[in-house]
Amino acid sequence: MIQNIAKDCAALESGRIGRREVMRALGFTATAALAASVSPEGAAFAVGATESSMVGGSAFKAVAFNHINYQVADYAKMRDFYVNLYGMKVAWDDGKQCSVECGDPANAIYIRPLAKPVDRPAGTGPSANWDAQMGQGNVDHFAFSIENFQLESAGAELTRRGLDPKPDGRYAWSIKDPSGITIQICATKGVFPGAASPSAKESDGTKNLNAIPGPDGKGFKAYAVSHLVVNVPDVDKSRDFYTGLLGMKVIYYKPGDVFGVDTPGGPVCFLKFGENTFYLRKSQHPENKPYVAHFAMAVENFNKAAAKTELERRGYKPQPDSKFGWSIQDPAGMRTEVAGKGLPEHVAADCNGANANCPGGPDQ
């Protein structure tokens, strides 16, 4: 432990790390050392758990993913996929775009036409397939529902923090996170696709909902977004932003220099809020740009064997994501998952941040 502290102080003197990083190290070195005496996985988890306790009062309390803005070539086909497979409700549809949702507070997916070609440059080296799990779908922004949201006071706080909030209808503000991704700070209700437009009317997307087919009754029942994976240029900077602004709790953190689709490593961070988990991983984009790699839906009464059987019956080729989930590709080729409650916590506590490290194999 003393050697580690001396090493950190030397790094401070040389300018390789800052005072904040040294203080963090002094704060959680003892906890991490104790956990490491049990297992390396425990060390990584202890770092995250200890650091989460150091987060002071945040500006807001995120309680759910308000929505994930998902752009695809065929919005109706994707809408029907989420309705039939996950039993999600069509809450809004104007014939050009829609919102499907589940849970309370609502977790929604806004499904819209692609606004521009997807950014999928070829990679090289061991992580050359960095884009394989994203297909031709694109998540260009996501939003968080805030407890006790008040439009004016929220805007004032975001301005005070230098985040230059832009109005997005009567119930939301848009800002940029440290990686440049657009995020929205929202009320739990009142937000709908296109709400930022002065001429937008919520009724434009609700008057014909009865004409849209509902679930076939043979699929799953989603109750929340289990997790969303965003790859960013600087994991630590993004972690500090989301914990400090939205009160998210670190449930897993592993430092490191590189993380690839096929390459173990770090940095990796899992942030918990409400029923949702936010995964932060290092960008594998050749230009170090941020992107959403995939997102997963948590379903009620998950049964591993029964879920696999149902997915195979529907013609999918499910791949395991620990003992709590199965991965498939949606109609756009984006990875999605049928996940049971507790998947992120299991991968954090028992699998060192990745299903490949689960004791007994990736399906355990």
Side-chain angles (χ1 to χ4, degrees), residues 4-356:
N4 288 340
I5 294 173
K7 182 179 177 181
D8 289 329
C9 290
L12 172 64
E13 292 176 357
S14 69
R16 288 185 285 114
I17 64 174
R19 295 178 181 275
R20 190 176 187 180
E21 284 73 18
V22 171
M23 293 305 295
R24 283 200 183 112
L26 292 174
F28 59 60
T29 296
T31 302
L34 175 61
S37 68
V38 179
S39 69
E41 293 83 359
F45 182 72
V47 169
T50 304
E51 187 164 357
S52 70
S53 68
M54 297 173 67
V55 177
S58 60
F60 307 102
K61 180 181 178 181
V63 294
F65 277 116
N66 182 281
H67 64 269
I68 296 169
N69 197 69
Y70 188 25
Q71 299 179 340
V72 297
D74 188 333
Y75 100 91
K77 186 176 182 179
M78 191 64 69
R79 174 199 66 200
D80 295 345
F81 168 83
Y82 276 96
V83 168
N84 281 320
L85 183 65
Y86 291 110
M88 297 181 74
K89 172 187 175 183
V90 181
W92 196 95
D93 191 320
D94 68 354
K96 300 176 182 178
Q97 57 187 342
C98 71
S99 171
V100 296
E101 66 179 38
C102 65
D104 184 17
N107 290 216
I109 303 173
Y110 288 3
I111 305 174
R112 291 166 147 165
L114 278 168
K116 59 183 179 180
V118 293
D119 182 14
R120 301 285 190 267
T124 59
S127 299
N129 69 339
W130 70 274
D131 65 333
Q133 62 182 312
M134 293 181 287
Q136 295 301 304
N138 181 57
V139 174
D140 74 332
H141 78 263
F142 39 87
F144 301 97
S145 289
I146 303 303
E147 186 176 71
N148 301 321
F149 177 87
Q150 298 292 327
L151 184 68
E152 296 303 323
S153 60
E157 176 60 21
L158 293 170
T159 299
R160 187 187 71 80
R161 289 172 174 253
L163 295 173
D164 191 24
K166 306 297 184 186
D168 201 309
R170 295 184 296 164
Y171 301 100
W173 294 99
S174 290
I175 59 173
K176 297 285 188 180
D177 81 353
S179 66
I181 294 176
T182 297
I183 67 170
Q184 293 172 341
I185 308 301
C186 305
T188 57
K189 297 180 180 180
V191 184
F192 60 93
S197 172
S199 61
K201 296 180 181 178
E202 188 171 7
S203 60
D204 289 343
T206 59
K207 55 190 176 184
N208 295 316
L209 293 182
N210 290 337
I212 299 172
D216 62 13
K218 300 178 181 178
F220 304 94
K221 181 62 176 176
Y223 66 86
V225 173
S226 167
H227 58 275
L228 179 143
V229 181
V230 60
N231 292 53
V232 297
D234 189 326
V235 169
D236 291 354
K237 191 173 183 179
S238 292
R239 172 200 63 200
D240 293 348
F241 173 82
Y242 284 103
T243 54
L245 182 68
L246 299 178
M248 295 183 186
K249 178 183 178 183
V250 178
I251 63 169
Y252 179 82
Y253 175 73
K254 177 170 65 175
D257 298 322
V258 177
F259 182 88
V261 174
D262 298 322
T263 306
V268 181
C269 184
F270 293 1
L271 303 173
K272 184 75 175 179
F273 61 104
E275 294 283 358
N276 312 128
T277 307
F278 194 36
Y279 290 15
L280 297 171
R281 299 189 186 277
K282 181 72 174 66
S283 173
Q284 294 300 296
H285 192 284
E287 298 174 16
N288 209 29
K289 294 179 180 180
Y291 55 92
V292 172
H294 76 268
F295 54 93
M297 303 305 298
V299 302
E300 297 176 356
N301 304 316
F302 176 81
N303 178 281
K304 180 182 175 183
K308 182 181 182 183
T309 297
E310 176 59 23
L311 290 170
E312 290 176 336
R313 185 188 71 81
R314 291 171 177 258
Y316 299 110
K317 298 179 180 179
Q319 300 299 313
D321 186 0
S322 82
K323 61 185 178 181
F324 288 114
W326 294 103
S327 298
I328 59 171
Q329 289 182 314
D330 73 15
M334 173 81 84
R335 174 179 169 181
T336 185
E337 295 180 29
V338 174
K341 189 176 182 65
L343 185 152
E345 291 84 352
H346 171 60
V347 173
D350 304 320
C351 306
N352 199 21
N355 62 41

